Amino acid sequence: MESVVLLIILVVLIMLGAPVGFTMVLIPVVYILITDAAPMILIPSQMFSAIDSVPLTAIPFFMLTGELMTSATITDRLVELSQRLIGRMRGSMAQANVLVSMFFAGMNGSVVADTATVGSLLVPAMKKAGYPASFAAAITAVSSTIGGIIPPSIMMIVLANAGGISVGALFAGGIVPGIMIGLLLMIINYIIARRNNFERSEEPFSLKAIAIVSYKSSFALLIPIVLVGSVVFGIAGVVEAGALTATIALLVGLFIYRTITWTNCKSAVVRAFRNSAMVFIIIAASGPFSWLLTSLGAINQLEMWLLSYTHNALLFALVLVLFICLLGMVMDSAANIIVVGPVLVDVMVKAGYPDVQAALVVVVGFLIGSVTPPVGVAFFTAGAIAEVRLEKVAVAMLPYLVALFALLFVLIIAPDITMFLPRLFGF
Amino acid sequence: MLAAMSFIDRIVRNTLTSFCAILLLLMVAFTVYSVVMRYVFENPPVWGDLLTVLSNIWLVFFALALTVRDKDYIALDLIYSWLPPKVSFCIQQFWSMVIFGLGLVMIIWGIEVVTTMGGKYWEMWYFAWEDGQIVFKPNYMPKKYAVAIVPISGFLVCVAAIASICEDVFRLRTGTYKWSKNVDIQS
Amino acid sequence: EKVLKLGTVGFLGMPIGDAIDQALIPTLEEVSGGKMTIEPHYRKSLCSEQSCGEQANQGLIALWTSSTANFGNFGTSLAIFDLPYIFKSIEDADRISSEWLAKKQCDIAAEEAGHVCLTVYSSGGFRQLGNAHGPVHVPSDMEGIKWRVTKSPIEYTLVKNWGAVPVPYDWSQLYQGLQTGVVSGQYVATPWQHVAKLHEVAKYFTEIGGSWSGNQLSIDKRQYDALTEQEQEWLQIAAQAFGQKVQELDRAWVEAGETAIKAEIDEWYVPSEEELVQWRAGAIDAWLNAKGTYDPQTARRVLEEQGMTGFITQLEEAGAL
Ligand code: NA
Ligand code: NA
């Protein structure tokens, strides 16, 4: 009961505009001051312990890879490629937005980086082409969830670390759901674009033009190849592979594209450590909070409650989706994945699901949460880029979000979607 | 006076930023070195992943202070755009004070973490001060050294919180105060 | 009523967890008449291994378990348990440890390590070699193979002396590392290998039985000293009951794990006595490298009680005793 109160206070404070990370530390501090339930040393000690982990070091590596590739102007080329590929479709820029996110996802692991990078290129262009700003923000935000689902993925690393699951298996399992989400969003785009009579490109479809721009953007493929290759050939583990891809990204920018200068290299490094630190600050802040929740037995109670629904598979899936949706609305996705993620995985495993599927459901669900209003970092970011009121973005996102949660439900009841590739890779 | 303060502020910020950038590059370097030494030379260092993890931890705790200084933490600031500037100013200062308090917690109990930390890293070399000179030790670096970042970061967080309060007060007086845009947009 | 929080990687369904649940908690409850209770946190939910020891020192928890090797991060008092070939068999290890060795070393730990260890027991019997590369019968078969080691100086030098390339590698990534060939071998107690399914990707086993997989239950020294003598005694009685229970359950756990592994692998090799001499020879250098972390007199007594005169001579000649 106490723990529920703690969680509600946390949510209320965050809704009132409190900084998420610091509030997560503030609550255990105040709780300890009032109840003396644990020594205050818990706070600094668990902040440190929460980030003291080898697998988590992959996060800055993949952040750096994404930033360096962006500096190498590869994103511009991917946008051009996507527009060439589907320019003749109605709503072509909205479709390109999804397609770029799918390409971009292969070298970037974070939803927010995807929103910011793809958004800052495409949102201004979409507004100019006559799309409502709220729609441009909405499709940018929802499609960027793919950035965290198609590997590499920061949140998969976080959950694998917290739940003791193989990062490689999760990466393999993310590919199919990531592509499915992309296709689903494109179908909805198509319907909305037809109904609103959105633009389409007048440029003729040209295989030659596609070939040229494919060639120009082909080095984007190098990152997934290095990632998969170094792991498959036993050169490095998935975590170490992040350092290799960052090195390759730097080399491509320096010697092949020759677009990386001292200045933009410096700013790529700074952006990478800042974005990575943002995730880590939430992880560190969750440390004392989740220690306290575990120690008070709240985690156990939550588990018991969820397990009471397992007698009916469909009901269980429904409860799970609703629970993930609700938490995703009010909490940060990293915090959700660290504090609640392992419990959900545990519950699903006890209910008979494979742990890799369980973890993927949790990651996909909470990543959708980084887009769902009222609290969602990708949601804020997209709104800020499009310079539009967040309420309007929320309305424009609604059909997409309904579809995404429906897909999440399918991912729970159809294990083959998530387990097919991991099984093929022998996990 | 004011000029001197903002000069120091800028120096400290730039230094911390450079530290973090170097730590990130070191992480890449240590890891690539470990992979190459293992795969090519079959002689990997024992300390490879430890140094990578410690660099990351130090980076995060330095970046924490930078985040406080730039107020670029993750927060939902929707409500404040509807409030009069005076009110949002007060709320902003309240959160800066809270952060200052949390910085104090990190200093006081962080020092306790350092003093009670009995663990050691067998694989890590270090330097110690013995008999009036610096001595190289090949093994068993005390973990105290690693966790010392917590009180250091707490101190920097306190300083950063005070600096941003000073800055906000100055801006309110000169009429240039604005609720900070918390969501980071990459340029 | 006094509640002691306990942090462990053990879980219900394996010996450490079950012995906490079936012996430690009920015994303490019973002897103290309900005045002292234990609140267990299994499966790394609060901490794991070394970090549990740190949390105990910080007063966040009181009791904790870890391998004797991980206890080494707080000092060398339990290092003697990690010496390769100091025990001939599981039975000898259990007997000597529970008769006097655990008590003797734990008294030293209380002085040096800031932790009072209450009992030392086996978690999974002996470490055995498993690898994905091919049959390993003698140490020279390990030549140049990348072998995953924990960050224990004894294990590191042992594997190196046998001729393999010791690679410190994160436990959570080991399955995949073995599968893809980042590392090819590992040296862990067999039931733990079974828990982590390592035998699925490393199919050659060698039963060399070198290092005993010692584990310990401790309480932070300051918290122990704050207990009354009566309470200390209750805790010691409960810990003894726990130690006995764990010993009982551990044998069955090892057997079940090994049976399951043997059913799915390509080779389970039991070296001949001549081959074992070669394996022990590699161990002697590990003893030499570890010199200073153990008391030679104590080690000699352990070996003598098992009649291991040949090994004593070898160690003496090398200067390790
Ligand atoms: Na990705
Ligand atoms: Na997008």
Side-chain angles (χ1 to χ4, degrees):
Chain A
M1 197 57 223
E2 275 170 329
S3 335
V4 177
V5 175
L6 285 185
L7 273 173
I8 291 173
I9 294 174
L10 176 67
V11 168
V12 170
L13 283 175
I14 289 172
M15 302 280 285
L16 288 175
V20 178
F22 291 100
T23 314
M24 295 202 64
V25 186
L26 178 66
I27 288 181
V29 168
V30 173
Y31 185 78
I32 289 171
L33 285 176
I34 295 172
T35 66
D36 212 15
M40 192 61 88
I41 197 173
L42 170 72
I43 306 297
S45 132
Q46 289 313 296
M47 282 174 72
F48 184 94
S49 291
I51 58 175
D52 181 9
S53 137
V54 174
L56 290 181
T57 56
I59 293 175
F61 292 156
F62 287 120
M63 290 280 190
L64 184 59
T65 306
E67 290 298 341
L68 286 171
M69 288 308 269
T70 308
S71 294
T73 62
I74 197 115
T75 331
D76 311 39
R77 292 164 203 238
L78 289 177
V79 169
E80 201 190 330
L81 174 64
S82 306
Q83 280 175 326
R84 284 277 173 198
L85 281 171
I86 43 174
R88 301 292 295 161
M89 270 167 100
R90 195 154 291 285
S92 66
M93 291 177 99
Q95 303 292 28
N97 197 323
V98 178
L99 208 55
V100 176
S101 283
M102 289 167 77
F103 287 137
F104 191 65
M107 51 189 207
N108 154 70
S110 121
V111 175
V112 183
D114 192 310
T115 314
T117 314
V118 179
S120 55
L121 282 170
L122 272 177
V123 167
M126 286 179 78
K127 279 164 76 176
K128 216 195 242 164
Y131 291 85
S134 57
F135 177 80
I139 186 62
T140 299
V142 289
S143 68
S144 63
T145 52
I146 302 169
I149 296 170
I150 290 180
S153 161
I154 304 300
M155 287 305 143
M156 285 180 194
I157 298 166
V158 172
L159 184 61
N161 181 60
I165 303 159
S166 153
V167 179
L170 294 192
F171 276 16
I175 297 172
V176 174
I179 293 172
M180 283 177 72
I181 289 179
L183 295 177
L184 184 64
L185 296 179
M186 288 174 87
I187 293 170
I188 301 173
N189 270 346
Y190 182 75
I191 299 168
I192 294 180
R194 285 290 291 270
R195 194 173 290 168
N196 292 286
N197 207 20
F198 284 153
E199 56 74 53
R200 69 168 175 215
S201 162
E202 293 309 319
E203 256 181 82
F205 185 84
S206 149
L207 271 179
K208 192 179 163 211
I210 289 177
I212 291 172
V213 59
S214 296
Y215 171 74
K216 283 203 296 184
S217 52
S218 59
F219 279 99
L221 266 185
L222 208 55
I223 297 303
I225 289 174
V226 171
L227 177 60
V228 173
S230 58
V231 172
V232 168
F233 292 111
I235 298 168
V238 175
V239 174
E240 296 166 326
L244 298 183
T245 58
T247 311
I248 296 294
L250 183 65
L251 295 178
V252 167
L254 280 178
F255 299 114
I256 295 175
Y257 287 144
R258 301 181 189 208
T259 44
I260 291 190
T261 60
W262 170 243
T263 329
N264 64 20
C265 179
K266 210 169 64 181
S267 62
V269 172
V270 170
R271 276 200 309 270
F273 86 66
R274 287 228 155 194
N275 289 339
S276 147
M278 258 196 224
V279 177
F280 273 104
I281 288 168
I282 304 280
I283 298 177
S286 314
F289 192 71
S290 71
W291 194 97
L292 207 59
L293 287 182
T294 309
S295 160
L296 291 173
I299 297 292
N300 266 330
Q301 284 165 18
L302 173 63
E303 201 165 321
M304 295 303 206
W305 177 71
L306 284 167
L307 278 173
S308 69
Y309 291 99
T310 50
H311 57 277
N312 180 332
L314 287 181
L315 176 69
F316 178 67
L318 194 68
V319 169
L320 212 56
V321 169
L322 287 177
F323 187 68
I324 289 175
C325 173
L326 195 72
L327 275 177
M329 285 169 69
V330 294
M331 287 250 291
D332 178 76
S333 48
N336 274 332
I337 284 174
I338 303 158
V339 179
V340 190
V343 190
L344 295 186
V345 172
D346 226 37
V347 168
M348 285 185 72
V349 168
K350 281 181 184 156
Y353 298 84
D355 61 350
V356 171
Q357 185 203 359
L360 283 163
V361 165
V362 169
V363 168
V364 172
F366 284 140
L367 280 180
I368 301 172
S370 60
V371 183
T372 47
V375 180
V377 189
F379 167 62
F380 299 159
T381 310
I385 293 172
E387 293 168 321
V388 62
R389 294 193 70 96
L390 288 173
E391 306 89 280
K392 288 189 175 173
V393 182
V395 173
M397 281 196 310
L398 204 62
Y400 297 100
L401 290 178
V402 170
L404 288 181
F405 280 112
L407 182 69
L408 185 65
F409 183 81
V410 174
L411 291 185
I412 300 175
I413 58 174
D416 288 339
I417 300 173
T418 41
M419 293 307 293
F420 168 68
L421 280 180
R423 282 192 188 126
L424 196 70
F425 285 117
F427 286 103
Chain B
M1 177 65 186
L2 211 61
M5 269 172 69
S6 76
F7 178 73
I8 294 172
D9 183 52
R10 213 172 54 235
I11 297 265
V12 172
R13 260 201 245 195
N14 288 345
T15 313
L16 283 183
T17 307
S18 315
F19 268 173
C20 290
I22 290 168
L23 285 169
L24 176 56
L25 295 177
L26 280 178
M27 288 176 69
V28 177
F30 291 141
T31 307
V32 172
Y33 176 77
S34 294
V35 172
V36 171
M37 288 306 284
R38 182 181 65 222
Y39 190 74
V40 183
F41 299 99
E42 303 201 328
N43 184 23
V46 205
W47 41 258
D49 56 356
L50 178 69
L51 275 185
T52 309
V53 169
L54 293 185
S55 304
N56 188 41
I57 295 173
W58 279 60
L59 187 168
V60 171
F61 277 102
F62 281 135
L64 181 66
L66 281 173
T67 307
V68 172
R69 182 64 194 91
D70 297 342
K71 297 194 202 102
D72 84 28
Y73 26 73
I74 298 172
L76 176 61
D77 56 356
L78 191 59
I79 311 175
Y80 300 110
S81 52
W82 306 331
L83 295 173
K86 271 264 167 65
V87 178
S88 72
F89 170 83
C90 290
I91 297 173
Q92 175 90 72
Q93 300 331 298
F94 169 75
W95 284 116
S96 293
M97 300 291 283
V98 166
I99 290 168
F100 178 82
L102 294 176
L104 283 182
V105 170
M106 286 172 69
I107 297 176
I108 297 167
W109 283 279
I111 289 173
E112 200 183 322
V113 172
V114 175
T115 51
T116 57
M117 181 55 70
K120 296 185 175 77
Y121 296 112
W122 160 71
E123 69 270 34
M124 195 59 216
W125 46 267
Y126 68 108
F127 294 97
W129 183 258
E130 269 173 21
D131 307 325
Q133 56 179 347
I134 295 173
V135 191
F136 177 80
K137 304 273 182 167
N139 290 110
Y140 291 111
M141 182 185 92
K143 199 172 167 182
K144 282 179 201 299
Y145 290 13
V147 294
I149 186 61
V150 179
I152 294 173
S153 169
F155 173 74
L156 291 171
V157 164
C158 286
V159 173
I162 293 173
S164 60
I165 291 175
C166 292
E167 189 183 57
D168 284 350
V169 170
F170 174 76
R171 285 196 178 150
L172 187 75
R173 285 215 188 126
T174 54
T176 53
Y177 176 78
K178 202 166 129 258
W179 174 262
S180 65
K181 258 241 160 323
N182 282 332
V183 176
D184 187 38
I185 301 164
Q186 293 163 320
S187 45
Chain C
E1 188 195 356
K2 195 158 267 164
V3 181
L4 303 175
K5 277 192 199 311
L6 181 156
T8 178
V9 298
F11 50 90
L12 297 178
M14 59 79 71
I16 297 176
D18 286 344
I20 290 170
D21 189 52
Q22 296 164 20
L24 186 66
I25 296 175
T27 310
L28 188 62
E29 185 96 39
E30 196 187 305
V31 293
S32 71
K35 288 193 191 111
M36 270 177 106
T37 50
I38 287 170
E39 180 190 307
H41 292 274
Y42 301 110
R43 212 184 262 279
K44 310 182 206 173
S45 59
L46 286 187
C47 56
S48 84
E49 300 285 296
Q50 183 185 351
S51 75
C52 289
E54 290 163 6
Q55 289 195 15
N57 284 156
Q58 292 163 350
L60 297 177
I61 59 174
L63 295 158
W64 62 290
T65 74
S66 82
S67 69
T68 46
N70 280 326
F71 192 89
N73 293 302
F74 300 95
T76 55
S77 42
L78 300 187
I80 193 166
F81 290 100
D82 300 334
L83 289 170
Y85 296 104
I86 189 156
F87 297 121
K88 227 162 63 178
S89 68
I90 295 192
E91 292 75 17
D92 286 316
D94 285 347
R95 178 175 49 81
I96 294 170
S97 177
S98 52
E99 272 174 11
W100 59 275
L101 186 60
K103 168 96 180 64
K104 186 172 194 316
Q105 297 307 123
C106 285
D107 286 345
I108 301 171
E111 294 298 313
E112 295 176 357
H115 294 282
V116 179
C117 63
L118 301 165
T119 173
V120 179
Y121 48 90
S122 138
S123 175
F126 284 93
R127 293 169 179 265
Q128 309 291 3
L129 297 172
N131 88 92
H133 189 266
V136 166
H137 297 178
V138 287
S140 60
D141 293 335
M142 286 170 78
E143 194 66 44
I145 301 178
K146 292 189 207 87
W147 218 275
R148 184 263 180 180
V149 292
T150 56
K151 284 177 180 173
S152 140
I154 294 175
E155 192 185 338
Y156 187 89
T157 46
L158 182 61
V159 167
K160 196 177 179 124
N161 292 337
W162 279 331
V165 178
V167 178
Y169 203 68
D170 199 59
W171 170 251
S172 64
Q173 300 183 75
L174 183 52
Y175 181 95
Q176 204 198 355
L178 285 165
Q179 186 186 34
T180 59
V182 176
V183 290
S184 296
Q186 42 80 25
Y187 188 40
V188 182
T190 34
W192 284 109
Q193 295 196 31
H194 181 243
V195 167
K197 299 190 246 167
L198 300 184
H199 61 289
E200 293 177 2
V201 286
K203 297 209 170 275
Y204 300 92
F205 280 77
T206 320
E207 188 181 319
I208 54 154
S211 303
W212 189 59
S213 182
N215 211 280
Q216 57 82 34
L217 171 72
S218 293
I219 177 168
D220 165 59
K221 175 87 160 66
R222 278 187 303 176
Q223 296 181 62
Y224 184 75
D225 291 344
L227 300 175
T228 64
E229 253 174 55
Q230 175 78 81
E231 289 169 331
Q232 291 179 351
E233 201 190 313
W234 290 334
L235 191 59
Q236 293 284 359
I237 295 169
Q240 290 324 305
F242 165 78
Q244 268 168 22
K245 187 80 189 171
V246 125
Q247 235 176 56
E248 227 175 274
L249 297 171
D250 200 61
R251 304 263 175 96
W253 194 47
V254 172
E255 209 179 294
E258 291 190 355
T259 311
I261 288 175
K262 282 173 186 167
E264 282 184 55
I265 57 169
D266 294 346
E267 182 183 82
W268 180 281
Y269 187 73
V270 184
S272 66
E273 191 47 45
E274 295 88 78
E275 285 165 340
L276 271 176
V277 171
Q278 294 186 45
W279 287 107
R280 287 199 203 102
I284 288 168
D285 279 345
W287 280 62
L288 267 181
N289 286 333
K291 218 176 161 184
T293 65
Y294 61 92
D295 171 35
Q297 288 309 317
T298 313
R300 180 187 294 272
R301 186 178 154 195
V302 174
L303 296 172
E304 276 170 354
E305 288 192 7
Q306 303 171 84
M308 295 166 75
T309 39
F311 194 42
I312 295 178
T313 323
Q314 283 178 296
L315 287 167
E316 271 172 349
E317 279 166 7
L321 274 183

